[in-house]
Amino acid sequence: MLDSPVSTASDSPAAPPARPRRRWLWWWLGTLALLLVLALVALQQLDPWLRRTLERQVAEKSGGRYELRIGSLRTDLGRRSITLRRLWLRPAGWPKARPDSAKGPAPWALVTVDEIRAAGIGLGALLRGEVVSVDTLLVRTVRARVLRTPERPGAGGKPLHEQLPRRIPGIRLAHLLVNDVRVVSAGRGRGERTQLRHGHLAAQDVLISRGAAQDSSRLSYAAAVEMKIDGLEAQVPGHHLSLGAARFSSRGRQLRLDSLRVMPIDDRQLPGGAARITLWLPRLVLAGLRPPLLSRRILQADTLRLSAPTLRFAVPSQTPPPLHEALAPYLRRVLLGRLEVQRAQLRLTRLALDPRLSDISLSGRDIRVDAAAFRDPQRVLYARDWQGGSGIGEVTIDAPYYRVRWAALRLGTQARTLRITRGLISPVMSQGELSRRKGHQATHLTLRLPEVRVTGLDYWGLLHKAVRAQTVAAPHMRLNIIGNAHYPLGNALAKVSPENVRRLPFRLDVRRLQVEDLAIRFKFTGELAKRPGYFAITRLTGAATNLTNDPRRMSAATPAVIRATAYLQDRCRFSAVARMSLLDPQGRHQVEGTFGSAPFAILNTITVPTRSARFERGQLHGIRVQLQVNRQRVTGRMWARYSDLKVDMLSTSGGGRDKQTFGTKVLSKAANVLIIRDDNPRRRGAELKDAPVRSDRDLRYSVFTIWMQGVVSGLLHSIGVPGKLAEELSEL
């Protein structure tokens, strides 16, 4: 039997053991070692390469106009951070080489930064081309010197997110800190200079991307911004500005300015009629601010508070544009829930009125600054309502001769009210000096107004050349009038006349003017008199209605009506009614008046020194007078009831204690016998003798003068003075 070809294991000899193959491990170790060596070499060269790259890119992007120098650059891959120190950005070749203007706008900035540190950089996202996150970006100790500011800084530049590399969709900074920023800049004009002593900026969640740029909830890519400024100085043509401190918080929605001062300086580049501002503002607080709207050029806030500002404003010779037009290049609209001004002081110069106001407190509600609000008749100076007033105030009228002062002023534009207390209108010089300065007779007026109350006042109309009000009440006024005929009569026409109302450069419409307990005291020196005479009208109470030059309200059928009662010399009661069409170019109007009983002797204080005539005796029992007045004369009729009248003519020089000489006694006797009618009616039961009224009008005197002339003319006719003589005496 043949053996099987397959031998068993026990029969075959033992095989030698296989040797392990480890050559691949050495290859891997070698490769890793090589990579480590290369990585170490790369890391050693990474920082210099990054520094050179950054410096080269600045030169390329600026077209060779700027150069960047970095003192040191350190990266830390373990901490995912990069630190740059001693950075210097300057014009190329500075300071020896001059910039080539042919390459573009001349360089204008020098910047040094002590340190820039970025930590927590998302390297994986950077390699994958995703949004790169950075935990913190710190910029410390920035010094900037702006050599020449550009005409339009930033004009035409791309947004920051469009300047990122294309493969990076965005950068997200959790925290951005910029500490200790100091800036000095020189403007394009002579003397323009700005200096920031210290600034600080902190921003959270800054997302630089296209989507963030369109996010209305962000402010310049940031979810929140905090900014602090200490010490800001700016010099612009004509003015120097200084700011003690500024604080801004987007999360707190507040902007605060402390110690803001603006002072004018001598600058010959400004035209002579340019505005000049002197301002001291201790504090400004803008609360409830909506920062995201600023990107759309809309400023919206809940409250703006100005504390104790002092403003002196030299109004420019050319009328400045409305506020919304002045703000148009910067803001499309301003929305304020409330504006509050406390303890302000204001003076406006280069105006004839030269207004000065102290202790101003003002509150504006629902303020909207744009073209639509400017035209809205329901708003005044862009606000739905203004309330407040001032303490002591002053304006100049008939400059520089008269001043108007008041102790307090209160107003409400929506309530349409105005109240002025303890007002005073007074000349700044004596009557003689006033006449000498004007070169002619000048009436010296002093008016005290304990209170003036206005209701239904149209404040919007005041800003658009219209004075409209329902009532104006002025109780207990005191008016002192001093006149002196020793000075020549001027050629200027009187302003207080009915026909002048139609010539007013503004629309007038006062429904009712109320006067209560007005006292008027006259002091007048006649042309030939050596001493003044005195006369008084007291307890004058009355009202004027329909004082308007609006053709829709004023006509002969609906005239202005003045009704008043008063006392002559505080003894003779009289009442009068005047009806006048204020649009009649001839100034035609009618006056009816009545006088009560009184002795004629109450007139001696004015007739003795000015007319050298004295009522020795006589009793007035009553007068009724009707006057028709126009621009040429006054005419009418008078019914005067009196008895036992005797008039003495006095000497202008010499005479005894009674101011009479022999000649004046003879003249007085003749006048009383031949001319003066001692009783009217002549006897009991006889008919009352009426008398004509006629006197020519001098338009250089006010309308009140022609009314007085009419009364004097009628009275002289009544007592028997011949017509022509009575007319001439009434016109003296």
Side-chain angles (χ1 to χ4, degrees), residues 530-543:
K530 295 182 179 179
R531 59 190 180 92
Y534 299 89
F535 190 71
I537 298 175
T538 60
R539 292 181 276 173
L540 193 156
T541 298

Side-chain angles (χ1 to χ4, degrees), residues 341-544:
V341 181
Q342 301 172 352
R343 306 184 309 280
Q345 316 294 323
L346 173 65
R347 182 179 181 185
L348 302 179
T349 61
R350 293 189 191 154
L351 292 177
L353 292 176
D354 189 25
R356 309 179 188 187
L357 296 99
S358 64
D359 197 20
I360 302 171
S361 294
L362 198 61
S363 175
R365 179 177 61 83
D366 187 11
I367 300 172
R368 178 189 178 105
V369 181
D370 58 16
F374 180 74
R375 296 189 298 265
D376 187 355
Q378 301 302 317
R379 295 177 180 268
V380 176
L381 293 176
Y382 305 100
R384 188 72 65 182
D385 184 29
W386 291 100
Q387 293 185 25
S390 75
I392 296 174
E394 179 180 314
V395 298
T396 300
I397 58 175
D398 191 20
Y401 304 110
Y402 280 88
R403 288 197 182 121
V404 180
R405 301 182 181 91
W406 60 86
L409 180 150
R410 295 292 179 267
L411 61 85
T413 61
Q414 192 170 53
R416 298 162 66 94
T417 59
L418 174 65
R419 183 171 179 260
I420 301 174
T421 56
R422 299 201 300 278
L424 174 65
I425 302 175
S426 62
V428 299
M429 58 194 71
S430 67
Q431 194 279 332
E433 180 65 18
L434 186 64
S435 295
R436 284 190 292 271
R437 292 276 297 273
K438 288 193 171 186
H440 57 80
Q441 287 185 33
T443 303
H444 192 273
L445 299 174
T446 302
L447 177 62
R448 299 183 183 276
L449 304 99
E451 182 182 34
V452 177
R453 300 187 304 270
V454 184
T455 62
L457 179 59
D458 182 4
Y459 283 93
W460 189 85
L462 286 178
L463 301 175
H464 296 81
K465 297 185 177 181
V467 178
R468 300 186 181 95
Q470 286 296 317
T471 62
V472 179
H476 312 299
M477 289 191 297
R478 298 294 181 263
L479 174 61
N480 292 330
I481 301 176
I482 302 175
N484 193 334
H486 289 177
Y487 296 92
L489 189 62
N491 296 321
L493 301 182
K495 297 179 181 179
V496 184
S497 296
E499 61 271 18
N500 287 340
V501 176
R502 60 191 293 269
R503 300 193 185 98
L504 292 175
F506 55 86
R507 182 69 73 201
L508 175 67
D509 189 359
V510 177
R511 300 287 83 212
R512 184 178 181 85
L513 172 62
Q514 182 73 45
V515 176
E516 179 182 351
D517 189 30
L518 166 63
I520 307 175
R521 302 190 182 277
F522 300 89
K523 178 182 176 182
F524 180 74
T525 303
E527 185 175 356
L528 301 178
K530 295 182 179 179
R531 59 190 180 92
Y534 299 89
F535 190 71
I537 298 175
T538 60
R539 292 181 276 173
L540 193 156
T541 298

Side-chain angles (χ1 to χ4, degrees), residues 28-103:
W28 277 107
L29 291 175
T31 302
L32 181 60
L34 180 60
L35 291 176
L36 289 174
V37 171
L38 293 176
L40 291 174
V41 174
L43 289 176
Q44 291 294 326
Q45 297 299 318
L46 176 62
D47 292 352
W49 176 79
L50 285 176
R51 184 173 63 182
R52 290 192 302 271
T53 301
L54 291 174
E55 293 176 348
R56 184 179 66 254
Q57 287 184 349
V58 168
E60 292 176 354
K61 288 184 176 296
S62 65
R65 295 192 302 274
Y66 284 97
E67 60 182 21
L68 174 66
R69 292 293 179 264
I70 301 175
S72 68
L73 185 151
R74 294 290 183 268
T75 58
D76 189 334
L77 297 182
R79 297 182 178 180
R80 296 177 299 150
S81 67
I82 181 172
T83 303
L84 298 86
R85 290 189 174 90
R86 301 187 305 280
L87 289 86
W88 187 9
L89 178 69
R90 62 185 183 181
W94 180 269
K96 295 182 178 180
R98 292 189 175 185
D100 185 1
S101 59
K103 296 181 180 180

Side-chain angles (χ1 to χ4, degrees), residues 18 107 121 255 278 333 357 465 477 483 491 496 577 651 679:
I121 302 173
L255 171 65
T278 303
R333 185 176 300 119
L357 296 99
K465 297 185 177 181
M477 289 191 297
N491 296 321
V496 184
V577 178
S651 174
D679 296 291

Side-chain angles (χ1 to χ4, degrees), residues 1 45 58 86 131 167 189 218 287 308 352 368 472-473 476 486 555 559-560 572 606 637 640 671 718:
M1 182 176 181
Q45 297 299 318
V58 168
R86 301 187 305 280
V131 175
R167 63 184 305 272
R218 292 178 175 269
R368 178 189 178 105
V472 179
H476 312 299
H486 289 177
S555 66
C572 178
I606 188 69
R637 306 296 295 178
S718 294

Side-chain angles (χ1 to χ4, degrees), residues 507-633:
R507 182 69 73 201
L508 175 67
D509 189 359
V510 177
R511 300 287 83 212
R512 184 178 181 85
L513 172 62
Q514 182 73 45
V515 176
E516 179 182 351
D517 189 30
L518 166 63
I520 307 175
R521 302 190 182 277
F522 300 89
K523 178 182 176 182
F524 180 74
T525 303
E527 185 175 356
L528 301 178
K530 295 182 179 179
R531 59 190 180 92
Y534 299 89
F535 190 71
I537 298 175
T538 60
R539 292 181 276 173
L540 193 156
T541 298
T545 59
N546 198 33
L547 298 177
T548 181
N549 55 10
D550 188 342
R552 296 172 298 179
R553 294 184 178 273
M554 177 55 58
S555 66
T558 57
V561 179
I562 302 175
R563 290 183 172 86
T565 61
Y567 286 81
L568 300 179
Q569 300 287 64
D570 208 30
R571 297 182 64 180
C572 178
R573 185 181 187 277
F574 76 91
S575 62
V577 178
R579 294 177 174 86
M580 55 189 70
S581 176
L582 299 179
L583 295 182
D584 186 350
Q586 292 301 315
R588 289 179 287 243
H589 60 279
Q590 298 80 40
V591 181
E592 297 180 3
T594 60
F595 296 80
S597 62
F600 277 98
I602 66 173
L603 302 177
N604 285 338
T605 58
I606 188 69
T607 61
V608 170
T610 62
R611 295 293 184 265
S612 297
R614 178 175 61 217
F615 290 96
E616 183 66 22
R617 65 176 185 265
Q619 179 69 34
L620 176 67
H621 302 293
I623 292 177
R624 182 168 63 91
V625 63
Q626 294 178 345
L627 306 177
Q628 290 80 42
V629 187
N630 56 33
R631 288 176 59 85
Q632 287 76 40
R633 63 187 62 85

Side-chain angles (χ1 to χ4, degrees), residues 663-686:
T664 58
K665 289 181 180 180
V666 172
L667 183 61
S668 298
K669 185 66 173 179
N672 282 287
V673 172
L674 301 176
I675 298 177
I676 301 300
R677 183 184 294 116
D678 52 0
D679 296 291
N680 190 14
R682 288 285 190 178
R683 57 187 179 277
R684 182 176 298 181

